[in-house]
Amino acid sequence: MRCKYNAIAVALTASLLAGCGTTQPTHTQTSAVSIAPAEVEIVGTTTPFASESVYFVMTDRFVDGDPDNNYEDQGGEHPTWQLPLEGPDGKKAYVGYMGGDLKGILDNGEYIKDMGFSAVWITPVLDNPNQQFTGDEQITYGGAFKDGGKTGYHGYWATNFYKADEHLVSEDLSVKQYTAQMRDKFGLKSVFDIVANHGSPSFTMPEDQPGFGEIYDKDGNLVADHQNLAPEALDPENNPLHGFFHNYPDLVKLSNLDDENPKVRDYLINSYLYWISQGADAFRIDTIRHVPHAFWREMSDRVREQYPEFFMFGESFQYDANFIAQHTLPKNGGVSVLDFPMQKAMVEVFEQPDKSDFSTLEEVLYLTHGPYHNPYDLTTFYDNHDMARMNATDEGFINAHNWLFTVRGIPVVYQGSEIGFMRGTSEHAGNRNYLGQARIEKAKSHPIRQALSKIANVRKHTPALQRGIQLNVEMAGHRAAFYRVLQHNGQHQVALVLLNKGPSETQYAIGEYLQEGTWVEQLSGETQTVAKNHTLKATVAPNGVQVWVLNAPIRNTSLISAVRDQMARQ
């Protein structure tokens, strides 16, 4: 039986063992006390994917690498190309395809890698209907929760969970070739977006449309069809094509897949396994809270039977940590989640830095007495395609990235945020507008991207920032100081992070828990040799960060005691 967290020292004290509810022989508890400090194991998480940082791409809205797969005439009287929504002052948002594809991502693999990212999360590659939806209320600029007039450019309206959408692949680039080349050329892993609770919009059409409400198997056979009927009108007992669906609605006019049907579970879970065979290194799970825990437990058991270390994180769009944490428990599938409580706090802090306090962020770290199975495995972010983009200044984005890439968790950044693209806009007001190659070329000299690249690459090469225990020293006003401590599998590293989100430089003199030795600042290369019982002094620039690293076995007894005490209270 294992403890609640992976963040467990090998040299456990009796109190820590008791906290995990584990009974150990007396001689084991006694011997732990005598282990030398440098042999104490300290690690926040042993999950391999925790070493990654993720760039999130909405594939159709990134870069058009292959104009031949745009299908601009597709849809006939219900066209799918561009479909602008007109807003005030000439503003536009789009609900049709814009041309982005897998080749466009591959063409910019070096751009993504150079920023310090090691994985790319893409929206679903699945086949979607070839017309715009004629049911529901018509979507308008700035509108929400209406699907009329929209297309499946985003990939979440699958008609075949085993087939790639023709807009995304090319004659010379299949999904499997894409993942292999991203990995081989750039060292970039692929995170696939998967869906379980819904298919395409399926009812309220004036006349039934091809693709909508239909689901096909891997051989192209029709296995389910909503037939433009309201959920309550479905008749699964007499019509086998209705058996894939619940007879009650869930989200807008989307078909509500019946997760209790063994055929549906097999269909979906086997499709996930198929995409792993095509190169998926991890899954982001859409709308995870709309499907019961039992489904995710079966799914994760089947996936991890074949791929034991496979990483998954879900979208439970709730700001209640106790609620979203239920997905992370082993009994519910042991799936990590996007850290919505931290997202909310980050927006509050970095959109209004002069009026905000770092203590707001300290509250959502849940380093002790938290509800998560392991907070170090959470995926952290400040915005995405389903909410308003962060409406911050360039300095606000820089400070957000300095935080995101140094605190606990796995950082995720949405495409375009490296230039503050469409900041402050919601889904149908520009959030998902096309980025394009021209903007990417200009982005290379943008101050947000330049600062992001520096801190993201520091994390990429600093194991303590990826997997180390976080021990806070100060979080107040514009200032934050904390350690990330790692002593695991022969790695001995302490990182001291100093943050300043204020408009003026600030002085630090850190002595608490500080170990003597030679510390190296990772962005400047500056060194300080600190004697025992002395302080590390630093001046942090406005909107700045410093990461001081000591590569040595951990011998400072106060640091070890503080870390072990914190771990015992997790």
Side-chain angles (χ1 to χ4, degrees), residues 5 7-20 28-43 367-369 376 469-471 485 487 513 554-570:
Y5 297 109
I8 305 167
V10 167
L12 291 167
T13 63
S15 62
L16 180 52
L17 289 165
C20 290
T28 302
Q29 297 179 22
T30 303
S31 63
V33 178
S34 62
I35 291 179
E39 296 176 9
V40 174
E41 186 167 284
I42 301 169
V43 58
L367 301 178
T368 63
H369 303 99
Y376 293 87
I469 288 288
Q470 179 168 342
L471 179 65
V485 186
Q487 190 155 261
Y513 310 129
I554 301 167
R555 303 184 184 280
N556 184 303
T557 54
S558 64
L559 175 60
I560 291 175
S561 177
V563 168
R564 290 174 71 175
D565 177 64
Q566 179 169 299
M567 291 162 67
R569 292 181 291 118
Q570 290 174 344

